[in-house]
Amino acid sequence: MHLQNLKTPPYRSSYAVAVKSHNPSPIFRRPSLLINTFLYESKSKNNRVKSKNKMKFQIEDVTVYFPYDHIYPEQYSYMIELKRSLDAKGHCLLEMPTGTGKTIALLSLITSYTLSKPSNPVKLLYCTRTVHEMEKTLAELKLLHKYQLDNIGPAARMLALGLSSRKNLCVNPDVVSAENRDSVDAGCRKLTASWVRAVAIENPNVPTCSFFERYEKAGGDAVLPPGVYTLQDLRVFGKEKGWCPYFLARHMVQFANVVVYSYQYLLDPKVAGIISKEMQRESVVVFDEAHNIDNVCIEALSVSVRRQTLEGASRNLNKMSQEIDRFKATDAGRLRAEYNRLVEGLAQRGNLPLGDTWLANPALPDDILKEAVPGNIRRAEHFLSVLRRLVQYLKGRLETENVEKEGPVTFVNSVNSHVGIDQKMLKFCYDRLHSLMLTLEITDTDEFLHIQTICDFATLVGTYTRGFSIIIEPYDERMPHIPDPVLQLSCHDASLAIKPVFDRFQSVVITSGTLSPIDLYPRLLNFNPVVSRSFTMSLTRDCICPMVLSRGSDQLPVSTKFDLRSDPGVERNYGRLLLEMVSVVPDGIVCFFVSYSYMDAIVNSWNETGILKEIMQRKLVFIETQDVVETTLALDNYRKACDCGRGAVFFSVARGKVAEGIDFDRHYGRLVIMFGVPFQYTLSRILLARLEYLRETFQIKEGDFLTFDALRQAAQCVGRVIRSKADYGMMIFADKRYTRHDKRSKLPGWILSHLRDAHLNLSTDMAVHIAREFLRKMAQPYDKTGGGGKKTLLSQEDLEKMNGIEGMMF
Amino acid sequence: MTDAQVVKRAKYKSSVKDPGVRGILKMTRERFVFMPNDPSLPIRLNVEFRLIKGHKSSKEGSNRPALLNLTQDQGNYIFEFENFSDRELCRDFVAKAITSSGEVGGPTSEKAVPLKDEQLSSAEMERRIKLLQEDSELQKLHKQFVIGGVLSETEFWATRKKLLDVNASRKAKQRVGLKSDMIFNVKPSSDGQSNRVTFNLTPEMIHQIFAEKPAVRQAYLNFVPTKMTEKDFWTKYWRAQYLHSTKNIVAAAAEAAEDEELAVFLKQDAILASETRQKIRKVDPTLDMEADEGDDYTHIPGHGLATESSKDEMEAQYEPYRRSFLQDINRHAAVVLEGRTVDVETGDTRTVAEALASSKRIELAKEASDNYVHQERLDRITRMAEIEDLQAPRDPPVAPLCIKDPRDYFDSQQVQLGGTRQVKSRLSTSEAYGSLRVFISEIRNIGLSDPIVKPEVALKVFNVLTQNISSSKYQLGKNPHESILDTLPSVTKEELLLHWTSIQELLKHFWSSYPITTSYLYAKVSRLKDAMSQIYPKLQEIKESVQSDSRHQVSLLVQPMLQALDAAFAHYDLDQQKRSAKSGEKPNGYA
């Protein structure tokens, strides 16, 4: 068992060589030869196995290299569809169930496509939602790349790398030890800003970053050799060479064949403006796990302002005015030079030294006008007074006692009439602030986030006239006694943020395990896909077992509906369900709750009634908290507990970070329980405003959208249990509302097709019985290829045969 | 010899039902004497242990008589003792006495007793009895040889010391893990009249508290007993727990401001926080959600939509006092998963605290210097990235080990080895030594960072070494579920197996007796030889009794046994010759 799992470390072969070369006397030859024979044999065996079995097949004119011995039929048809949309140079929308190897199918087809058409290489921009998914994708790409190299040789060489912020790439121990991203960014700037380095040349006591200096010195020689680099690999490489991995990666992104980075590097104009500006049109953009892409888009263009923000902004303004006074006394020429530059227009980003860049304008690139900054904010002190007035105005607006909602146009008019700041001035706020901070040589940018937020807000509100609304709430609806005023600029139109991506790149692929109903996404994102398909899963055996549990063991209905939510009977029934399951299901169980507050309440109630104690006697309990560090460690421990056989339960929250991107495949998750329907908080003003916008603009009914949104989250949660067809898992939807057809039918097809009629309305005892049966059945050995009837694993011969019969599809 | 004799009050009974005669039982090494209290009674016993063949005793129980039955060739002696402890003592004595007298009563009636006197405690005795009860085969052997007089009790067990020891040590060494239950919410017991509540703390709970809350541990080491008493310390601790359970952060902060010792319990655990920071750097990158924050530009303060998480922003001064129940659960589970890191049996709280603190330091230091873990983690990611059912299992293909029938395993290994030639290497010792030296120096330089031997290499070596086993297994029966033994009639099969085990046992004793240095060994060897020569014809008998079709197979099975016996006999004869030659020279030597 263990023998096969131990992977040989890379330096092992060199070790054997070392043994050989260190043998000076012939006496030693024999033993080393013996070892070498072993090595040689095992190596040649490996090679033989690889070249014999791994797949290489044709899809029309493209030779696809697939690093496995077999392929699932749906992966094959996925590749065909993908290839068609690449050929058509259009966008596509592909839904394929989790656990069918989407990622490798995507990577394998797109890299093979490039290899087949060397004259017209396409660049792949692969967007993941999280850094850990980035690492997983790059690990798969490594596997694929190795196979391609073995097969084609040096021609298959490519450069693929992951890109992240300084916090994840920095190797300077003094900088990276800072607490959060902004402090790391600021720490880096303090060492690498152009003016700091200029001072350091004269005064050796001023600290600089040795990694950055060496990278700068290497100049054009600082390149990454071809290969696949995870963030970890980049850090190791940077340390080895003494070059800054962050700036190296930023530089190499332009030349890389594959770039894996976060969604926001393309969707959030603040980041995309600096990172993704120079990507060529002949790129394929992939958004993986894109079921939430509309939310990412609207969040990228939303800003919220609280009292603390305004107070912080005032402090920032005071600090800046002190700085201005200081400069006036010592270096008045600097301020004048800035003024002149502003007269000529803002074109500052192109020639900025590398270390000076920071977040770009929050508005989309096409919306920023290339013109001179308005005269009345060109002088630094004038600009500051404009900002002061704006902050003062916002403070006044926050004093309101009623909820207010208005559009950007009304808001801008009101700003103009009250404090005399017009739309154009608002629009230029962000760039003007940026310019000023550079002039004032401010390096501790993390201290100035508040004023930055205000300027973001001003620029957005000054730029857009539709698709946004400004909502001012004096207190949280759920806690009316605590005054907590907030002013939110909320974007309702997801298509705004993604529009430049669709326009700029020839192919955009949006894919996920849950994109149902698939016709809704083109409307939400406002694009025309050339291919839009949903694939089902061909299963060798019924390895997923979804159930709807509507009643507890006492036959009373269970639900997280508002009126039932805090009913002790429901809490008890949920507890008994979990308790029964922990004694039946081996290894890992994952539970999803509808919100943090609900989870907190129910865990406390289980603790008081002793249910938690009983659960703990069976399995260890780990919980997702709002602290990511703690959650990460809890997950790590959860996996350890599953690995060592102790078994564990993980409590998590739908829409939470864990539900977004952590897999609970294999023994890490044999059962998922979704407690309740994860509806959004429907009384939220922002949601109401968005629903209204959707109804007016796209004719999407509120109820439909809410159900769609809740069920895609639920499907996403439960879909994390399956990783391959050899895997198996159960899914329990524990809420009576799932029995209703209008709710249930919004689940993706691959879940619905396994949801048997008999499993639609279960009580706890019946569910336990089904679980027992299912687990017993799954524990039996089975034929992986699917046996007689329909094949669920295709070998190379199968594919060749199929290609003979043209047009055969699944 | 500490107690050369035992004197106990006992009743002598002619049978179990007999009411018995009260008297004094006196045991010495050679004999036991029973004197009735009433001297007028005719019953007076004076028996040599030499004549006693064995002993039985009644089961221990509250209302049962404590009986000891000494068996003789004809008839037996039953004694009832006043209590079980007396009985135990006598029984042990008897067991020992019988053994030694049995040895003494051997063919050479010399006085020298070669084996040291084995004083058995009742616990040891019980363990032996238990072993015999558990293992019927062992019991059979015991019956055959010990009761049959071929081997003495001591000799029989001497070769099984391991069995006795291992069992004992394993039982003692198994460590109990931590309980899954959490003790944080121990309900205080209240007397119902006053406002006082009482907490009961056990050493187990203290251990758990210290393991889960390093700050409390540290505080204990700092405060107790210099600053406050242990009782005060725990009172303060529970007070803090109570404040937490009320979830009133403001009140907690206020109390903490007044009492700096209490504040230690209320504040967040700094030691824990630093541990967390260390651990997060080593976490599996495919799980690392903290890294995501580095790429999250929409949720910088003020950006994105206000979500639930930003709702409960708390004023900064109360921040250190926030601690949630959920965090406690996570911490608890993590500690349980780590397992018991220290083995302190004592109830001394300070020792526990110190042991925990030092074990933690060692662990952290070890982790910091460990780069092997990192390599392993990378390998894990690669493995996790693969889709398992799309490819053949990773080579080398290894048959899953099936405990049900070892033949499955050997057969599959055989199939694999079918084509490969045997790796032959003839190395002189100097070559081997030289190669070993090279390896050692390599290891010195590189360190043992990885599996020392490549798994593939290890498998190969293993295959070569087990080839003989696997091939014989392979040749014996193609069908794993049907061996030659199974084809034989069950009587023959059992007989064969019985003979096989008894030959094993006898040979073991036989060979371990050489070289013969004492006359005791000499006697033992001749006893063994006699026993073996009794088995020999029986084997021949079996061979001839079976039907002709399976005779060949049976002879295949019997042959090695006969050969082993022949070898033993040959050795015995040779030794005998030498001995007689020697004895001619030394007429006053051993008999």
Side-chain angles (χ1 to χ4, degrees):
Chain A
M1 278 295 287
H2 288 286
L3 286 180
Q4 75 205 42
N5 285 342
L6 291 168
K7 177 95 182 354
T8 324
Y11 56 82
R12 179 50 64 185
S13 54
S14 61
Y15 167 65
V17 172
V19 171
K20 198 177 157 197
S21 61
H22 281 181
N23 294 335
S25 127
I27 302 173
F28 300 134
R29 210 184 307 136
R30 273 174 188 279
S32 66
L33 266 183
L34 184 72
I35 290 163
N36 273 346
T37 337
F38 279 146
L39 280 179
Y40 175 74
E41 277 183 4
S42 60
K43 216 170 173 182
S44 65
K45 201 170 161 195
N46 279 352
N47 282 344
R48 201 184 61 227
V49 169
K50 253 167 215 153
S51 50
K52 198 179 80 184
N53 287 338
K54 303 229 158 155
M55 299 183 82
K56 178 181 157 185
F57 53 88
Q58 291 284 329
I59 293 183
E60 289 152 23
D61 53 337
V62 172
T63 313
V64 179
Y65 296 90
F66 190 71
Y68 290 104
D69 310 344
H70 295 92
I71 187 170
Y72 297 137
E74 53 270 38
Q75 278 178 320
Y76 182 65
S77 32
Y78 185 90
M79 285 185 183
I80 292 176
E81 295 296 338
L82 191 58
K83 197 221 161 232
R84 293 203 174 133
S85 76
L86 291 189
D87 284 341
K89 296 192 196 306
H91 311 313
C92 69
L93 195 61
L94 299 169
E95 180 190 33
M96 185 157 85
T98 52
T100 45
K102 273 188 299 293
T103 310
I104 191 65
L106 257 167
L107 292 173
S108 162
L109 183 95
I110 297 176
T111 51
S112 303
Y113 193 86
T114 315
L115 286 173
S116 298
K117 305 183 175 179
S119 57
N120 179 24
V122 290
K123 181 173 188 144
L124 173 59
L125 302 179
Y126 194 100
C127 301
T128 63
R129 284 173 314 169
T130 56
V131 174
H132 46 95
E133 279 179 1
M134 190 188 295
E135 298 271 8
K136 262 189 277 179
T137 309
L138 285 163
E140 293 199 40
L141 187 59
K142 255 187 195 171
L143 218 82
L144 171 68
H145 184 54
K146 190 159 163 277
Y147 167 59
Q148 288 175 339
L149 275 184
D150 285 350
N151 233 286
I152 312 172
R157 267 195 207 147
M158 64 169 173
L159 176 64
L161 62 121
L163 182 65
S164 181
S165 63
R166 289 181 177 90
K167 181 168 174 286
N168 294 333
L169 281 174
C170 180
V171 287
N172 188 331
D174 300 334
V175 176
V176 81
S177 56
E179 204 168 289
N180 56 36
R181 187 202 45 234
D182 298 307
S183 332
V184 175
D185 282 359
C188 180
R189 257 179 223 117
K190 272 173 205 154
L191 300 178
T192 60
S194 54
W195 55 90
V196 174
R197 295 178 62 224
V199 173
I201 290 169
E202 284 149 28
N203 179 3
N205 289 333
V206 173
T208 55
C209 174
S210 64
F211 292 99
F212 185 77
E213 295 302 324
R214 245 171 280 162
Y215 167 71
E216 281 282 280
K217 206 182 277 171
D221 296 334
V223 286
L224 275 173
V228 180
Y229 296 87
T230 62
L231 299 184
Q232 171 69 26
D233 297 336
L234 283 171
R235 283 196 297 265
V236 170
F237 182 82
K239 263 191 198 151
E240 227 168 67
K241 295 269 182 184
W243 297 337
C244 173
Y246 173 72
F247 287 104
L248 179 64
R250 282 269 305 272
H251 176 63
M252 292 312 290
V253 158
Q254 297 172 42
F255 313 106
N257 307 81
V258 181
V259 181
V260 184
Y261 54 22
S262 156
Y263 272 31
Q264 307 185 356
Y265 284 59
L266 270 183
L267 291 180
D268 192 329
K270 296 195 286 296
V271 206
I274 28 173
I275 305 279
S276 309
K277 203 170 41 172
E278 280 152 21
M279 300 295 184
Q280 58 266 42
R281 190 179 153 69
E282 290 73 31
S283 300
V284 182
V285 177
V286 175
F287 290 104
D288 197 4
E289 304 286 351
H291 46 273
N292 269 338
I293 194 166
D294 53 327
N295 290 336
V296 178
C297 289
I298 63 170
E299 290 218 39
L301 293 179
S302 298
V303 180
S304 62
V305 176
R306 285 166 192 276
R307 268 194 195 143
Q308 297 97 302
T309 326
L310 293 173
E311 281 157 13
S314 302
R315 279 198 303 276
N316 293 159
L317 289 173
N318 291 339
K319 181 96 186 289
M320 286 167 90
S321 87
Q322 282 167 15
E323 287 290 305
I324 290 172
D325 291 344
R326 193 169 63 84
F327 269 100
K328 264 188 185 156
T330 58
D331 191 5
R334 244 193 115 80
L335 291 170
R336 211 170 306 123
E338 189 203 17
Y339 182 90
N340 293 334
R341 205 171 63 235
L342 293 174
V343 176
E344 286 152 22
L346 267 176
Q348 22 110 306
R349 210 145 278 125
N351 46 22
L352 267 187
L354 202 49
D356 296 355
T357 52
W358 68 337
L359 292 185
N361 196 307
L364 298 164
D366 300 347
D367 301 321
I368 304 165
L369 295 175
K370 302 276 179 281
E371 60 182 291
V373 174
N376 40 11
I377 55 171
R378 271 182 218 157
R379 285 184 66 92
E381 52 273 33
H382 290 173
F383 176 58
L384 281 195
S385 90
V386 163
L387 286 183
R388 279 223 173 82
R389 293 207 306 275
L390 179 64
V391 168
Q392 203 51 47
Y393 174 77
L394 291 177
K395 270 186 187 158
R397 290 299 301 265
L398 274 184
E399 293 300 310
T400 176
E401 287 183 358
N402 304 313
V403 176
E404 291 174 22
K405 184 187 159 215
E406 55 195 85
V409 180
T410 351
F411 188 82
V412 168
N413 287 341
S414 137
V415 171
N416 200 2
S417 62
H418 281 86
V419 287
I421 305 171
D422 65 9
Q423 179 251 345
K424 203 171 166 203
M425 279 153 76
L426 284 174
K427 191 155 85 173
F428 278 96
C429 265
Y430 188 87
D431 284 330
R432 180 65 190 91
L433 175 77
H434 188 190
S435 162
L436 182 62
M437 286 180 69
L438 284 180
T439 312
L440 297 179
E441 299 184 344
I442 287 168
T443 45
D444 47 350
T445 43
D446 54 335
E447 301 290 320
F448 286 82
L449 288 176
H450 294 298
I451 189 67
Q452 210 179 311
T453 306
I454 302 293
C455 289
D456 275 356
F457 171 78
T459 303
L460 283 173
V461 91
T463 311
Y464 297 103
T465 52
R466 53 165 282 279
F468 284 81
S469 49
I470 289 122
I471 298 164
I472 307 169
E473 285 176 284
Y475 48 79
D476 191 302
E477 206 67 36
R478 282 161 285 191
M479 290 185 276
H481 52 284
I482 303 170
D484 178 28
V486 57
L487 182 150
Q488 306 202 62
L489 172 72
S490 100
C491 171
H492 304 313
D493 194 343
S495 65
L496 283 178
I498 205 170
K499 186 166 178 289
V501 180
F502 284 129
D503 291 347
R504 266 182 64 199
F505 299 107
Q506 66 177 27
S507 290
V508 176
V509 179
I510 291 178
T511 186
S512 171
T514 28
L515 289 174
S516 305
I518 203 160
D519 54 328
L520 188 63
Y521 282 85
R523 279 158 79 197
L524 285 178
L525 302 176
N526 192 22
F527 75 111
N528 289 316
V530 290
V531 175
S532 162
R533 268 206 64 176
S534 178
F535 299 91
T536 54
M537 195 172 183
S538 64
L539 285 184
T540 320
R541 51 179 186 166
D542 287 327
C543 65
I544 59 170
C545 177
M547 302 176 229
V548 173
L549 182 123
S550 56
R551 290 161 286 140
S553 39
D554 54 4
Q555 305 303 321
L556 290 175
V558 291
S559 175
T560 55
K561 222 165 113 181
F562 192 70
D563 49 342
L564 280 177
R565 180 172 284 204
S566 47
D567 183 338
V570 172
E571 284 179 349
R572 193 184 57 239
N573 271 331
Y574 276 152
R576 308 288 331 168
L577 167 68
L578 181 57
L579 189 55
E580 294 281 348
M581 286 299 168
V582 289
S583 54
V584 173
V585 181
D587 299 325
I589 295 181
V590 195
C591 302
F592 286 99
F593 297 88
V594 288
S595 69
Y596 280 113
S597 51
Y598 184 65
M599 179 169 78
D600 201 40
I602 204 165
V603 168
N604 275 307
S605 132
W606 286 351
N607 180 37
E608 267 150 37
T609 49
I611 291 177
L612 189 66
K613 197 174 170 185
E614 285 181 66
I615 293 171
M616 279 181 171
Q617 279 167 1
R618 306 276 181 182
K619 286 181 195 298
L620 288 174
V621 176
F622 294 95
I623 304 185
E624 172 182 9
T625 63
Q626 306 203 9
D627 177 358
V628 275
V629 175
E630 171 156 6
T631 307
T632 306
L633 288 180
L635 272 172
D636 201 43
N637 283 325
Y638 170 79
R639 286 210 170 163
K640 271 185 209 149
C642 292
D643 284 336
C644 77
R646 174 124 199 182
V649 191
F650 196 85
F651 290 173
S652 179
V653 172
R655 298 173 194 280
K657 288 213 164 73
V658 172
E660 280 281 300
I662 302 293
D663 283 336
F664 293 100
D665 51 334
R666 297 171 301 150
H667 60 293
Y668 298 132
R670 288 299 182 208
L671 167 69
V672 200
I673 306 178
M674 177 75 237
F675 290 109
V677 187
F679 279 114
Q680 288 191 55
Y681 175 60
T682 40
L683 296 179
S684 141
R685 309 273 164 191
I686 297 173
L687 181 62
L688 291 178
R690 185 173 179 209
L691 290 174
E692 195 184 314
Y693 181 83
L694 287 175
R695 191 185 59 229
E696 281 165 9
T697 325
F698 302 118
Q699 287 77 47
I700 297 171
K701 276 191 227 146
E702 283 105 333
D704 281 355
F705 182 79
L706 286 174
T707 313
F708 147 77
D709 184 63
L711 286 175
R712 72 174 164 180
Q713 298 301 343
Q716 193 50 35
C717 292
V718 301
R720 316 239 51 115
V721 277
I722 294 283
R723 157 119 184 114
S724 72
K725 290 178 187 175
D727 199 2
Y728 59 90
M730 291 179 289
M731 309 154 174
I732 296 182
F733 297 94
D735 192 305
K736 68 166 183 188
R737 286 173 288 176
Y738 287 111
T739 51
R740 287 173 52 182
H741 182 259
D742 62 321
K743 298 275 187 305
R744 200 176 60 232
S745 60
K746 299 275 197 310
L747 285 171
W750 59 275
I751 294 181
L752 279 181
S753 62
H754 289 92
L755 188 55
R756 288 200 249 145
D757 287 344
H759 295 178
L760 281 182
N761 190 1
L762 300 174
S763 63
T764 303
D765 42 337
M766 293 152 85
V768 171
H769 177 73
I770 293 168
R772 279 214 184 95
E773 289 288 307
F774 175 76
L775 289 167
R776 190 179 305 145
K777 206 167 75 190
M778 285 300 120
Q780 309 307 317
Y782 72 104
D783 178 16
K784 279 183 186 167
T785 51
K790 202 171 159 189
K791 283 223 162 189
T792 52
L793 272 186
L794 304 176
S795 65
Q796 187 141 349
E797 289 109 72
D798 294 331
L799 283 185
E800 278 153 15
K801 233 180 275 165
M802 268 165 45
N803 276 342
I805 315 160
E806 200 53 45
M808 174 165 171
M809 295 290 302
F810 290 89
Chain B
M1 186 109 199
T2 47
D3 46 350
Q5 66 169 28
V6 174
V7 184
K8 291 285 169 204
R9 256 179 250 266
K11 276 194 239 173
Y12 170 70
K13 298 174 163 191
S14 54
S15 72
V16 181
K17 296 258 169 61
D18 186 35
V21 183
R22 284 173 189 283
I24 304 287
L25 180 67
K26 187 174 164 191
M27 293 187 185
T28 61
R29 304 267 332 273
E30 287 85 28
R31 57 183 67 241
F32 66 88
V33 180
F34 181 76
M35 300 284 284
N37 286 352
D38 183 354
S40 64
L41 286 172
I43 307 156
R44 212 160 277 186
L45 297 170
N46 186 344
V47 188
E48 279 187 48
F49 273 123
R50 195 160 48 81
L51 302 172
I52 303 296
K53 291 291 172 241
H55 58 88
K56 295 175 192 160
S57 50
S58 62
K59 268 191 188 158
E60 217 167 304
S62 54
N63 47 7
R64 284 200 188 138
L67 295 178
L68 181 68
N69 185 354
L70 303 178
T71 48
Q72 213 179 356
D73 280 344
Q74 295 100 27
N76 45 16
Y77 306 98
I78 301 174
F79 297 100
E80 184 183 340
F81 293 88
E82 287 178 335
N83 52 41
F84 281 96
S85 59
D86 280 0
R87 207 273 313 276
E88 298 290 297
L89 208 76
C90 290
R91 190 188 60 189
D92 296 348
F93 193 84
V94 168
K96 196 189 66 204
I98 294 174
T99 338
S100 56
S101 69
E103 284 154 11
V104 172
T108 52
S109 55
E110 257 188 356
K111 206 65 189 95
V113 180
L115 285 185
K116 46 253 154 276
D117 336 289
E118 200 187 20
Q119 184 72 34
L120 283 179
S121 73
S122 60
E124 267 171 59
M125 202 64 202
E126 251 153 44
R127 198 178 304 137
R128 287 180 182 187
I129 291 166
K130 200 165 168 229
L131 278 172
L132 288 179
Q133 281 167 348
E134 279 169 0
D135 190 344
S136 67
E137 212 165 84
L138 199 65
Q139 201 179 12
K140 245 187 233 165
L141 280 177
H142 187 263
K143 202 167 144 198
Q144 189 179 352
F145 295 126
V146 179
I147 312 285
V150 178
L151 292 169
S152 72
E153 177 94 6
T154 328
E155 281 168 346
F156 183 77
W157 287 109
T159 52
R160 291 183 171 76
K161 274 241 163 63
K162 275 250 170 64
L163 204 63
L164 295 169
D165 290 349
V166 167
N167 270 19
S169 62
R170 194 176 54 206
K171 258 173 217 152
K173 275 214 179 129
Q174 179 161 27
R175 296 201 295 178
V176 185
L178 289 170
K179 275 188 192 155
S180 303
D181 282 348
M182 289 174 78
I183 48 95
F184 55 88
N185 48 358
V186 172
K187 293 274 185 305
S189 55
S190 114
D191 56 7
Q193 288 168 358
S194 61
N195 277 334
R196 267 174 55 166
V197 290
T198 321
F199 290 95
N200 286 320
L201 267 180
T202 62
E204 178 75 31
M205 284 157 75
I206 292 175
H207 184 264
Q208 200 176 333
I209 292 171
F210 281 164
E212 284 176 27
K213 296 169 181 165
V216 176
R217 187 183 67 210
Q218 199 54 45
Y220 184 88
L221 289 177
N222 291 345
F223 294 160
V224 181
T226 49
K227 247 181 153 177
M228 55 174 92
T229 65
E230 175 142 8
K231 194 171 171 232
D232 287 346
F233 179 83
W234 290 115
T235 313
K236 272 207 167 33
Y237 173 76
W238 288 111
R239 168 109 192 106
Q241 288 306 104
Y242 171 74
L243 280 172
H244 269 303
S245 67
T246 56
K247 291 189 184 157
N248 189 343
I249 298 173
V250 182
E255 291 245 1
E258 284 168 16
D259 186 343
E260 65 176 276
E261 280 110 36
L262 189 65
V264 174
F265 300 129
L266 288 171
K267 272 192 184 151
Q268 277 168 355
D269 199 325
I271 304 174
L272 205 59
S274 75
E275 243 172 63
T276 311
R277 270 197 296 281
Q278 279 221 339
K279 275 191 194 148
I280 194 85
R281 272 181 229 149
K282 304 198 178 304
V283 93
D284 185 347
T286 57
L287 285 180
D288 192 355
M289 296 196 293
E290 201 232 352
D292 296 342
E293 295 211 315
D295 270 348
D296 189 355
Y297 288 91
T298 43
H299 292 104
I300 45 182
H303 288 266
L305 297 170
T307 48
E308 209 189 349
S309 57
S310 59
K311 183 187 69 191
D312 41 20
E313 271 175 30
M314 193 53 75
E315 281 171 63
Q317 55 169 331
Y318 298 131
E319 191 56 38
Y321 302 105
R322 281 178 52 149
R323 207 177 65 191
S324 71
F325 175 52
L326 305 186
Q327 275 173 315
D328 287 342
I329 294 180
N330 279 336
R331 175 67 192 154
H332 168 75
V335 167
V336 171
L337 195 61
E338 247 168 48
R340 202 179 281 268
T341 45
V342 288
D343 233 352
V344 189
E345 294 289 315
T346 65
D348 182 23
T349 320
R350 197 171 176 85
T351 327
V352 175
E354 275 165 357
L356 274 171
S358 65
S359 81
K360 203 85 222 170
R361 270 198 300 277
I362 294 166
E363 190 186 311
L364 286 178
K366 209 167 66 191
E367 264 177 25
S369 62
D370 213 352
N371 49 9
Y372 171 61
V373 175
H374 169 70
Q375 181 61 38
E376 196 185 64
R377 208 164 27 136
L378 286 185
D379 293 344
R380 227 174 97 116
I381 297 171
T382 328
R383 273 205 306 280
M384 296 271 286
E386 288 171 11
I387 302 177
E388 49 194 351
D389 62 338
L390 285 185
Q391 57 184 0
R394 295 176 75 121
D395 43 20
V398 176
L401 192 59
C402 179
I403 302 160
K404 208 165 53 187
D405 190 348
R407 256 160 301 198
D408 285 341
Y409 171 73
F410 283 117
D411 286 356
S412 69
Q413 292 302 90
Q414 185 62 30
V415 173
Q416 267 180 55
L417 282 176
T420 54
R421 79 224 127 58
Q422 195 168 346
V423 181
K424 280 223 174 86
S425 57
R426 271 157 299 154
L427 295 174
S428 70
T429 35
S430 66
E431 282 174 315
Y433 176 66
S435 137
L436 186 67
R437 280 187 54 160
V438 172
F439 273 119
I440 291 170
S441 62
E442 284 286 340
I443 288 166
R444 279 221 185 105
N445 292 338
I446 302 172
L448 283 176
S449 58
D450 257 289
I452 309 166
V453 186
K454 270 186 88 169
E456 292 86 9
V457 178
L459 178 72
K460 266 215 145 94
V461 172
F462 184 66
N463 278 340
V464 170
L465 290 180
T466 56
Q467 195 182 27
N468 283 334
I469 309 173
S470 62
S471 64
S472 62
K473 286 272 187 187
Y474 184 69
Q475 252 95 49
L476 266 180
K478 257 307 208 184
N479 188 345
H481 303 293
E482 192 183 299
S483 77
I484 303 167
L485 276 178
D486 291 332
T487 60
L488 296 175
S490 62
V491 188
T492 325
K493 180 184 160 189
E494 260 164 42
E495 233 176 306
L496 270 174
L497 285 174
L498 179 69
H499 285 313
W500 174 241
T501 45
S502 31
I503 288 170
Q504 289 265 19
E505 177 74 19
L506 288 172
L507 283 173
K508 195 158 65 181
H509 284 283
F510 179 82
W511 289 110
S512 65
S513 308
Y514 282 92
I516 298 173
T517 47
T518 62
S519 53
Y520 161 69
L521 282 176
Y522 181 77
K524 186 182 170 187
V525 164
S526 44
R527 253 185 297 143
L528 290 167
K529 193 223 141 197
D530 289 345
M532 287 194 293
S533 47
Q534 278 167 18
I535 295 178
Y536 201 90
K538 283 186 197 155
L539 286 173
Q540 296 285 12
E541 228 169 79
I542 293 174
K543 225 164 100 177
E544 277 146 32
S545 69
V546 290
Q547 286 152 356
S548 57
D549 52 341
S550 56
R551 187 168 294 167
H552 171 67
Q553 287 164 335
V554 172
S555 68
L556 269 182
L557 286 173
V558 173
Q559 202 57 37
M561 302 190 214
L562 292 178
Q563 277 169 357
L565 287 177
D566 284 340
F569 290 146
H571 189 83
Y572 179 79
D573 290 342
L574 197 73
D575 197 67
Q576 201 70 9
Q577 276 173 16
K578 272 189 198 161
R579 199 161 273 275
S580 57
K582 264 187 192 167
S583 65
E585 287 158 26
K586 278 197 267 176
N588 58 342
Y590 306 99

